[in-house]
Amino acid sequence: MNKQSKINSTISNDVPCPFCGILCDDLVIENKNNSLKVLENGCAKAISSFEIEPSEVSAKLKGKNVSLDEAISSACKILKKSHTPLIAGLGTDVSGMRSVMELADKSGAILDHMHGNGLIRNTLVLQDLGWMMTTMSEIKNRSELVIFAGTDACNYPRFYERVIWNENAMFKKKNDDREIVYIGDNLNSKSGINPNGKRPTVLNCKTEQIGEIISSLHALVSGAVLDVKEVAGIKIKTLQTLAEKMKSTKYGVIVWAPGELNVPHADLIIQNFCETVKYLTRFTRFAGFALGGNDGGMTANSVCAWQSGYPLRVNFNKGYPDYDAHRYSTQNVLKNKEVDSLLWINSFNSDINSPRASIPTIVMGKPETKLNFKPDVFIPVSTPGIDHSGQIIRTDSVVSLPLKKIRQSPYSSVHSVIKQVIERM
Ligand code: SF4
């Protein structure tokens, strides 16, 4: 509920934040003469994203200011002429992504998200052997043992406050009842120290070795004897102790961030997590949890799956959705010249920008976007959850949150711009 505190100043409560995949929905934001200030519950990332003053920029053709109408006509011409466009970035909300799907169908485009490499690591595992996953609420309310594998969750700044050490958990546990373990390369374990000062267990190893450690734990929980003194530099005794804890806990979770497992065949490491989890459910409750979904990643993947029957990466050029998680990556299709135009969309931030490609390029980005080249068409777009209302999907893909409009914006949404392009095509 909004309340008018004085003329031209409005305070919005329970504002959902779209700037990382955990979508905190408790921010308090003041709008004073259309300038925003995060009053409560914003992390540094949220504060910088909400409080940035929108620049006043016009649509552009090769760097030259034009009207939105002209820019849309030019975008339309490029896409009409193109045999196979690439629509990438895909930083948008549910309705933006729905219109992207329609445009892809009409123009025979290939679709990929800016975090596609991370997204497909999870998808490949889900498609191959399946998995047992949990939600943020379940971790908050029930977990006793949380193993962070290859991530310290620092890209999700309020994950510990909202999920791990949340005092309002439904089945209130003493903080000492929740045990934290880190497995990975120099992870920052500070946030894993519980409010009573109990330190987490840290197993330091290279990211490539996490799979080795997890499969050894899998072997140990299944009763195998490992005839070695250590695995990836971790003493076998330490692993045996952890394996016993994994079997005896009432509710355990392995947390990973697919985008941070930046090593070859990382999907096999994730498969190790998932198979270990499945085995552990013979003894107790255990589940996996993937941290991701930043910049509309989970939204793009989910909408693509609802509407086409396939997750990203999909090619609509054959008149039906053709899914190929590797072949249709942005990097591959540009390198292999499989596409002849690029539409890049990012309405959440101006940090991740369009690749420079030697094909006609349209960029729909935040007004603050700074590119190191002049695209054929630049269209400034509004940000979901600040400039317009919408819907976005959380990292655990079980919750879609309604986003609020909390300030006036002169810019159109991705949905509205793409709809106009489609109408003219
Ligand atoms: S942790 Fe993520 S969702 Fe929560 S306030 Fe920070 S950026 Fe927003």
Side-chain angles (χ1 to χ4, degrees), residues 302-313:
S302 303
V303 175
C304 186
W306 303 336
Q307 297 203 192
S308 73
Y310 295 97
L312 292 169
R313 298 153 164 162

Side-chain angles (χ1 to χ4, degrees), residues 180-194:
I180 308 295
V181 177
Y182 292 91
I183 304 175
D185 200 356
N186 285 319
L187 300 173
N188 183 348
S189 58
K190 230 168 113 193
S191 305
I193 301 173
N194 83 10

Side-chain angles (χ1 to χ4, degrees), residues 5-19:
S5 58
K6 62 178 183 179
I7 296 170
N8 294 333
S9 172
T10 309
I11 293 176
S12 301
N13 295 307
D14 302 325
V15 177
C17 169
F19 297 111

Side-chain angles (χ1 to χ4, degrees), residues 350-414:
S350 48
D351 303 331
I352 305 175
N353 281 326
S354 168
R356 186 176 190 158
S358 52
I359 48 179
T361 300
I362 306 155
V363 173
M364 292 182 194
K366 282 182 70 96
E368 304 77 47
T369 301
K370 298 258 179 299
L371 296 164
N372 60 0
F373 68 102
K374 288 182 181 156
D376 296 77
V377 183
F378 174 75
I379 300 178
V381 288
S382 51
T383 302
I386 297 187
D387 303 318
H388 67 85
S389 57
Q391 240 182 318
I392 190 165
I393 298 173
R394 204 169 68 180
T395 180
D396 48 13
S397 83
V398 290
V399 178
S400 96
L401 269 103
L403 298 175
K404 297 185 181 186
K405 172 180 174 149
I406 50 173
R407 77 172 172 209
Q408 294 302 325
S409 166
Y411 304 109
S412 303
S413 65
V414 168

Side-chain angles (χ1 to χ4, degrees), residues 75-86 106-109 317 338-343 359-360 362 425:
C76 197
K77 269 186 214 148
I78 291 174
L79 292 170
K80 260 170 110 172
K81 229 171 122 186
S82 171
H83 178 264
T84 311
L86 166 65
K106 274 208 161 25
S107 61
N317 200 258
E338 287 194 56
V339 288
D340 54 3
S341 69
L342 166 65
L343 165 55
I359 48 179
I362 306 155
M425 281 173 84

Side-chain angles (χ1 to χ4, degrees), residues 6-150:
K6 62 178 183 179
I7 296 170
N8 294 333
S9 172
T10 309
I11 293 176
S12 301
N13 295 307
D14 302 325
V15 177
C17 169
F19 297 111
C20 86
I22 67 169
L23 305 184
C24 305
D25 56 357
D26 58 349
L27 277 68
V28 179
I29 298 186
E30 180 184 40
N31 176 337
K32 218 183 218 174
N33 297 326
N34 223 25
S35 285
L36 302 181
K37 184 155 185 57
V38 178
L39 300 182
E40 285 174 40
N41 300 332
C43 66
K45 194 171 183 176
I47 291 172
S48 61
S49 304
F50 277 103
E51 294 189 1
I52 188 168
E53 289 288 333
S55 328
E56 281 181 32
V57 302
S58 149
K60 291 182 171 56
L61 295 184
K62 289 205 187 291
K64 205 172 135 237
N65 289 355
V66 294
S67 67
L68 176 62
D69 192 62
E70 281 175 85
I72 289 175
S73 293
S74 298
C76 197
K77 269 186 214 148
I78 291 174
L79 292 170
K80 260 170 110 172
K81 229 171 122 186
S82 171
H83 178 264
T84 311
L86 166 65
I87 309 183
L90 304 184
T92 183
D93 60 349
V94 168
S95 47
M97 190 58 201
R98 281 188 189 277
S99 49
V100 164
M101 295 298 292
E102 194 182 338
L103 180 61
D105 193 24
K106 274 208 161 25
S107 61
I110 291 175
L111 296 181
D112 184 23
H113 190 268
M114 66 187 98
H115 301 311
N117 289 343
L119 282 171
I120 65 144
R121 286 175 193 144
N122 269 1
T123 306
L124 293 171
V125 175
L126 174 61
Q127 287 174 326
D128 227 19
L129 289 172
W131 59 17
M132 299 176 84
M133 302 294 273
T134 189
T135 64
M136 281 169 53
S137 312
E138 282 282 282
I139 302 176
K140 176 179 88 176
N141 291 325
R142 298 180 196 275
S143 70
E144 285 191 354
L145 172 66
V146 182
I147 300 173
F148 288 88

